[in-house]
């Protein structure tokens, strides 16, 4: 899978940074993995950063909104979901569309999603935007959660912000 996904090292690095930030903020993650036998498991360096209690669900449908995931998400009593992962035009897009249909506000981290081809990624981003998904970046969402530099977690999050991948993702 690693050879098939455009800019995967950047997406993986940002996913690890996001997991680390979620741990600092105490924000829960829900993780799904598509048909592990064929595509493999999530990279260990990402999993190692997950907040305590993070559950991972194997799935065969493209959307991550399985019955178990839907139940867990509803249990969090949230109205906003931050979405990231691969592939943008399959699992991410179908999940985003399902979440919008379920009434959630969905933010897509454009620097933490990719596909096998740039055309697939960029077309999916356009489609999700048209459906009401809000585009943002990892750094933007971290600063939005912080709100101000006096936040007690500011210095910890700043360390994550400074740990930027070497190469930027392709333009939208």
């Amino acid at each position: 899978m690693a050879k098939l996904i455009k800019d995967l090292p950047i997406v993986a690095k940002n996913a690890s940074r996001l997991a680390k930030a979620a741990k600092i903020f105490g924000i829960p993650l829900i993780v799904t993995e598509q048909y592990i036998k064929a595509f493999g498991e999530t990279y260990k360096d990402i999993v190692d950063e997950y907040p305590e209690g993070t559950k991972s669900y194997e799935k065969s449908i493209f959307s991550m909104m399985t019955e178990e995931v839907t139940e867990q998400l509803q249990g969090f009593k949230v109205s906003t979901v931050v979405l990231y992962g691969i592939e943008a035009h399959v699992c991410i897009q179908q999940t985003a569309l399902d979440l919008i249909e379920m009434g959630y506000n969905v933010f897509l981290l454009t620097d933490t999603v990719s596909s096998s081809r740039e055309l697939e990624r960029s077309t999916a981003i356009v489609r999700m935007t048209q459906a009401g998904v809000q585009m943002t970046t990892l750094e933007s969402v971290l600063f939005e959660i912080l709100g101000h530099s006096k936040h007690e977690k500011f210095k910890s999050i700043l360390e994550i912000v400074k740990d930027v991948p070497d190469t930027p993702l392709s333009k939208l």
Side-chain angles (χ1 to χ4, degrees):
M1 184 63 130
K3 294 178 184 174
L4 300 177
I5 303 299
K6 186 169 178 40
D7 297 322
L8 185 59
I10 299 162
V11 171
K13 172 74 172 180
N14 285 338
S16 179
R17 293 167 67 214
L18 180 66
K20 189 181 292 188
K23 190 185 317 183
I24 290 167
F25 283 128
I27 296 173
L29 297 179
I30 300 176
V31 177
T32 60
E33 296 174 305
Q34 181 73 27
Y35 191 53
I36 294 171
K37 184 177 177 183
F39 297 115
E41 295 179 334
T42 302
Y43 291 163
K44 186 178 180 335
D45 57 329
I46 298 171
V47 173
D48 288 348
E49 297 298 342
Y50 288 165
E52 190 173 323
T54 297
K55 292 183 181 179
S56 180
Y57 301 92
E58 185 171 4
K59 64 185 183 66
S60 58
I61 63 170
F62 296 126
S63 172
M64 75 180 284
M65 299 313 297
T66 64
E67 189 175 312
E68 299 90 355
V69 168
T70 300
E71 188 177 299
Q72 185 179 7
L73 182 58
Q74 289 171 342
F76 291 152
K77 306 263 190 261
V78 297
S79 59
T80 299
V81 173
V82 175
L83 191 59
Y84 65 100
I86 56 173
E87 285 195 74
H89 67 292
V90 184
C91 297
I92 299 301
Q93 179 176 272
Q94 289 187 33
T95 300
L97 297 175
D98 284 350
L99 287 165
I100 291 289
E101 187 175 300
M102 295 167 72
Y104 288 95
N105 299 313
V106 181
F107 288 82
L108 181 74
L109 301 183
T110 58
D111 57 351
T112 315
V113 297
S114 193
S115 291
S116 52
R117 290 176 300 284
E118 180 54 36
L119 178 62
E120 299 293 354
R121 178 182 179 271
S122 60
T123 302
I125 288 172
V126 169
R127 180 164 181 218
M128 288 184 274
T129 302
Q130 291 169 340
V133 175
Q134 298 179 59
M135 301 301 133
T136 191
T137 63
L138 173 59
E139 188 171 324
S140 291
V141 83
L142 295 180
F143 281 114
E144 191 169 338
I145 293 168
L146 284 169
H148 55 81
S149 62
K150 302 282 188 220
H151 192 288
E152 65 181 336
K153 309 285 186 184
F154 178 76
K155 287 184 180 180
S156 299
I157 295 301
L158 195 57
E159 292 296 317
I160 295 169
V161 169
K162 290 178 180 179
D163 186 22
V164 180
D166 293 332
T167 311
L169 281 175
S170 304
K171 295 179 181 177
L172 294 179

